[in-house]
Amino acid sequence: MRIFTLLCCFISAVLVAQKTNKYDTYFEKGNGNQSADYAETISYFKMLDADFASIEMKEMGLTDSGEPLHIVVFNADKNFDFVQIQKENKAIILINNGIHAGEPDGIDATMLLFRDLALGKINIPKNTVIVTIPIYNIGGALNRNATSRVNQNGPERYGFRGNARNYDLNRDFIKSDTRNTKSFVEIFQKTNPDIFIDNHVSDGADYQYTLTYIMTQHNKLGESLGDYLNLEMMPYLIDDMKQKKIETTPYVNAWSETPEKGFQQFFESPRFATGYTSLFNTIGFVVETHMLKKYDARVKATYEYMVSAINFTDKYYERVKQKRLENERQYAPGNNYTLLWEVDSTKVSRIPFMGFEGLRKKSDVTTGDRLFYDRKKPFTKSIPFYKEFKASKEIVIPEAYIIPRSFWDVIDLLKSNGIAYFQLQKDTIIEVESYKIADYNTVTSAYEGHYLHRNTKTTSSTQKIVFHKGDYVFSTRQKGVKYLLETLEPEGIDSFFNWNFFDTMLQQKEGYSDYVFEDLAAELLRNEPKLKSELAQKIKDDKAFAENPDAQLDWVYKHSVYYEKAHLQYPVYRMMK
C-alpha cells in the first residue's frame, strides 16, 4: 500500500511538472540569451488563448509584411468586449512590443507576464484589463539576424529596426504611412487605454542601470494628468522597482557628453508612440533597458516594470480615469494651447545617478582619441536633470476647423483617429481665420519617406469664405482635440503640413511673361496709388530688392488680383466663437 501511495505521488509530481513545463517560454527553455521569433511568439499566445478562459487573442488588421497584427487580452472576468469593459469602468493597459524588432526584451517579458497572470503566479488585477501587441513590427521580426544591433549584449538573434518597407514605425504615428500604424490606430481607438507601455532597448552612454524610462513629458500631457503622473505615479513606480532591488533612472538622453554633466528629459513629439498616445490623455511610458546589460537581466527588469505599473493602475484605477477626464476639460475653445515647447533651463533639479567614469584614450582604429567608460570606476553622483519644459509658441483653441472635402487623405486620417465631424448640408459663407504660409525650411535628406518641413511660420487674417456642401467641420469640443491641434496647426512640429500633406499648395501653378506683364503692371500702379507707394517704400527700405528688377515686378504681380489665391494658402480654416 505504501509503495502504491509513493508511486501515485511520483506520477502526480511528474504530471504537475509536465503541466508546468508546457508553459515555459522559448526564453526560459534557452540559456537566458535567446528570444522567441515571430512564429514561436504567436504560437505561444495561441496556446494561452486555448488553455485559459481569461486570455483571448484577436487579429486586428494587416501590417506591411502581409501578416496580421494581433492583440492578446487578459481579463480576470473573462470579458473581451471593450464596449462593455468601458461601461464597467475598468482601467485598460496597452503594452506594445517589438516596434524596433531588434529590441525584443518586451516580447519575451510579456509572454512571461501573461503566462503568470493566467496561472495566478502574480497578483491578478481586479479592476484592470491588460492588452498587448505581441510583436508590432512583424516585418522587422521576420528579418532576423545576429549583427544589426552591433553594440547590444544579446540575445543571440533578433529582428531588424526597419519594418517590411524599411520604415521606423516609431516615427510614423502622425503620418501613418504604414499598414502597421493604421492597424495600431484601430487598436488604440478601440481599447482607449488609460496607460500605454512601449518596450525598447537603449543605445548610448554606459552606466550601472539595467532599466531606464521615459514618462510622457508631464508639462505637455496636461496640468491635471501630468501632475498626477509626475508627482504620484512615477514616484510609486520608482520606489516599487527599488524594493525589488532594481534601480531606475530617466532615459539617459546624453550623446555628445558623458551623463554626469547632466541631461534633459527626452521630449516625445506626436510622431513617437507615447507622443501620439498623450494626445488622447493616455499616460505613456517607454521602457528602455540598457543594451550593454545581459539579456536575461533586461527581460526580468522589463517584466517587473510592467508588474509595478499593473499594480499601481489596479489600485488607483478610479483616480487615473478621473484625472484623464479632468485633463480633457482643460482644452476648451478659447483657451490657450502650447503648440511648441522648449526646455526650461531655469528649473533644474538634481537626481542621483549611478554611472561609470568616462575617460579619453588613444584610439586603436583612428588617428584620434576615443571615449571609454571604466567599469572599474563606478560612482553615484548628484547630477543636473532638466525635466521641465515651457511654452515657446501658444495658440488660441478655435471652436472648430473646416476642411474642404477635396483633402480626403487628411480627412481620412482624422476619421480613423476617432475624430467626430459633420459635413455642411449646403454652400455656406462662414467667417474664419485663414493662414498663409510665410516661411518654412525643408530637410535636405529623406526622413522616413518624407522631406520634412520645420520652422514653419504663418500669417493669419479673418475672411468670409464660401464653403461648399460636403465640406467637413471638426469641432474641438471632443476628446481628440489635442490630435486636431497638433496635426492641423501648421506650425506644430508634427503637423500634417510639416509632414508634406499640403505640399501642392507650395507650388505656384500660374505665372506671367514679364515683357507682357510689364505694361499691365504699369497700369496697375497708375490706378492704385497705395500699391505704388508701398512698392516705392520697399525699394527704399530693402537694398537687395532695390537692385533686383525681377523681384520688383514679381512683387507687383503677387500684390495684384492676377496672383493665384491657392499659392501658399493653407487650406484648413479656423472657426472662432
Side-chain angles (χ1 to χ4, degrees), residues 10 86 104 114 117 162 250 263 317 334 344 372 379 396 400 418 438 463 490 512 575:
F10 173 77
Q86 299 288 353
F114 272 67
L117 287 168
F263 51 88
Y317 74 103
D344 189 345
F372 78 101
F379 65 77
V396 175
Q463 301 177 16
Y512 57 88
M575 203 168 94

Side-chain angles (χ1 to χ4, degrees), residues 521-522 524-542 545 555-556 559:
L524 286 170
L525 294 177
R526 284 194 299 271
N527 295 334
E528 298 183 33
K530 184 173 181 293
L531 186 65
K532 182 176 180 178
S533 174
E534 290 174 354
L535 174 62
Q537 189 65 44
K538 184 165 179 61
I539 290 173
K540 180 181 177 181
D541 295 342
D542 189 334
F545 183 75
W555 186 93
V556 175
H559 287 76

Side-chain angles (χ1 to χ4, degrees), residues 482-501:
K482 292 170 71 178
Y483 180 86
L484 278 169
L485 296 168
E486 292 286 348
T487 58
L488 297 184
E489 289 292 330
E491 295 186 21
I493 188 170
D494 280 326
S495 68
F496 286 145
F497 173 83
N498 280 337
W499 278 112
N500 310 120
F501 282 83

Side-chain angles (χ1 to χ4, degrees), residues 135-256:
I135 299 180
Y136 182 49
N137 181 2
I138 297 172
L142 294 172
N143 186 7
R144 206 159 165 82
N145 71 97
T147 55
S148 59
R149 295 284 292 181
V150 61
N151 297 324
Q152 188 166 286
N153 183 9
E156 293 173 1
R157 293 183 65 79
Y158 41 76
F160 183 65
R161 186 181 186 90
N163 86 329
R165 295 168 61 209
N166 208 34
Y167 279 99
D168 185 333
L169 294 175
N170 203 25
R171 308 292 186 271
D172 194 46
F173 284 92
I174 291 299
K175 58 190 178 70
S176 294
D177 287 334
T178 67
R179 284 178 172 174
N180 301 63
T181 303
K182 295 180 191 302
S183 295
F184 179 91
V185 167
E186 180 185 353
I187 291 167
F188 183 80
Q189 295 300 326
K190 183 181 184 69
T191 58
N192 185 24
D194 301 283
I195 309 294
F196 174 71
I197 300 174
D198 199 23
N199 288 317
H200 286 251
V201 182
S202 69
D203 205 338
D206 197 5
Y207 39 79
Q208 297 179 48
Y209 302 96
T210 298
L211 185 145
T212 69
Y213 59 85
I214 300 171
M215 71 173 193
T216 295
Q217 208 289 319
H218 62 284
N219 302 118
K220 75 174 179 65
L221 180 58
E223 184 175 350
S224 180
L225 195 59
D227 286 348
Y228 183 71
L229 167 62
N230 184 38
L231 301 176
E232 296 188 48
M233 186 172 187
M234 198 69 244
Y236 173 99
L237 296 179
I238 294 169
D239 183 64
D240 200 48
M241 292 290 283
K242 185 175 291 189
Q243 290 184 35
K244 301 175 188 178
K245 304 192 182 306
I246 301 175
E247 295 287 345
T248 61
T249 197
Y251 173 70
V252 183
N253 191 22
W255 298 91
S256 59

Side-chain angles (χ1 to χ4, degrees), residues 550-567:
D550 289 340
Q552 295 163 30
L553 187 63
D554 190 62
W555 186 93
V556 175
Y557 172 72
K558 287 180 176 173
H559 287 76
S560 75
V561 296
Y562 301 102
Y563 175 52
E564 64 195 67
K565 294 180 180 180
H567 186 221

Side-chain angles (χ1 to χ4, degrees), residues 287-538:
V287 175
E288 293 274 5
T289 54
H290 190 216
M291 60 171 185
L292 297 180
K293 303 303 185 289
K294 290 183 177 180
Y295 187 61
D296 57 349
R298 291 172 9 218
V299 171
K300 179 180 185 301
T302 303
Y303 173 96
E304 292 297 347
Y305 191 94
M306 292 189 292
V307 170
S308 293
I310 291 169
N311 289 342
F312 177 92
T313 305
D314 202 53
K315 184 175 182 179
Y316 300 108
Y317 74 103
E318 291 178 314
R319 187 77 167 147
V320 170
K321 297 184 87 64
Q322 175 193 346
K323 288 295 179 183
R324 288 188 74 198
L325 290 174
E326 289 176 7
N327 211 65
E328 185 179 329
R329 296 187 193 111
Q330 76 184 72
Y331 301 108
N335 290 353
N336 283 352
Y337 179 80
T338 299
L339 192 63
L340 298 174
W341 297 86
E342 62 185 10
V343 67
D344 189 345
S345 58
T346 66
K347 295 180 180 178
V348 57
S349 56
R350 300 196 70 86
I351 59 172
F353 184 77
M354 299 163 56
F356 299 113
E357 290 290 340
L359 305 169
R360 308 291 302 186
K361 68 178 182 180
K362 181 74 177 62
S363 170
D364 293 330
V365 179
T366 72
T367 58
D369 292 335
R370 55 153 290 189
L371 170 68
F372 78 101
Y373 290 90
D374 191 342
R375 290 197 168 188
K376 295 179 181 178
K377 295 180 179 179
F379 65 77
T380 300
K381 295 180 181 178
S382 175
I383 67 168
F385 179 51
Y386 297 90
K387 187 179 187 179
E388 302 291 330
F389 283 72
K390 63 182 180 180
S392 61
K393 167 75 178 181
E394 289 187 330
I395 59 165
V396 175
I397 301 174
E399 185 70 34
Y401 289 96
I402 305 178
I403 307 178
R405 61 180 177 175
S406 52
F407 292 92
W408 52 265
D409 53 346
V410 166
I411 291 166
D412 284 350
L413 279 176
L414 295 173
K415 289 179 180 178
S416 68
N417 279 276
I419 306 300
Y421 63 90
F422 68 89
Q423 291 179 264
L424 297 178
Q425 298 302 303
K426 61 181 180 178
D427 292 358
T428 310
I429 298 174
I430 304 175
E431 186 173 84
V432 293
E433 184 179 2
S434 171
Y435 285 137
K436 275 276 192 179
I437 304 300
D439 194 19
Y440 62 95
N441 301 116
T442 305
V443 299
T444 56
S445 299
Y447 177 79
E448 294 303 318
H450 291 250
Y451 284 82
L452 192 65
H453 302 313
R454 64 184 191 280
N455 301 326
T456 299
K457 299 288 185 289
T458 61
T459 58
S460 67
S461 61
T462 301
Q463 301 177 16
K464 290 184 177 180
I465 294 178
V466 177
F467 292 96
H468 300 287
K469 178 181 178 180
D471 288 345
Y472 285 76
V473 180
F474 293 89
S475 170
T476 58
R477 296 181 184 272
Q478 59 178 302
K479 177 186 171 185
V481 55
K482 292 170 71 178
Y483 180 86
L484 278 169
L485 296 168
E486 292 286 348
T487 58
L488 297 184
E489 289 292 330
E491 295 186 21
I493 188 170
D494 280 326
S495 68
F496 286 145
F497 173 83
N498 280 337
W499 278 112
N500 310 120
F501 282 83
F502 297 106
D503 277 7
T504 54
M505 318 313 293
L506 303 180
Q507 181 185 2
Q508 191 173 326
K509 298 298 189 292
E510 300 283 6
Y512 57 88
S513 295
D514 52 0
Y515 78 94
V516 178
F517 185 64
E518 277 275 358
D519 296 331
L520 185 55
E523 183 180 346
L524 286 170
L525 294 177
R526 284 194 299 271
N527 295 334
E528 298 183 33
K530 184 173 181 293
L531 186 65
K532 182 176 180 178
S533 174
E534 290 174 354
L535 174 62
Q537 189 65 44
K538 184 165 179 61

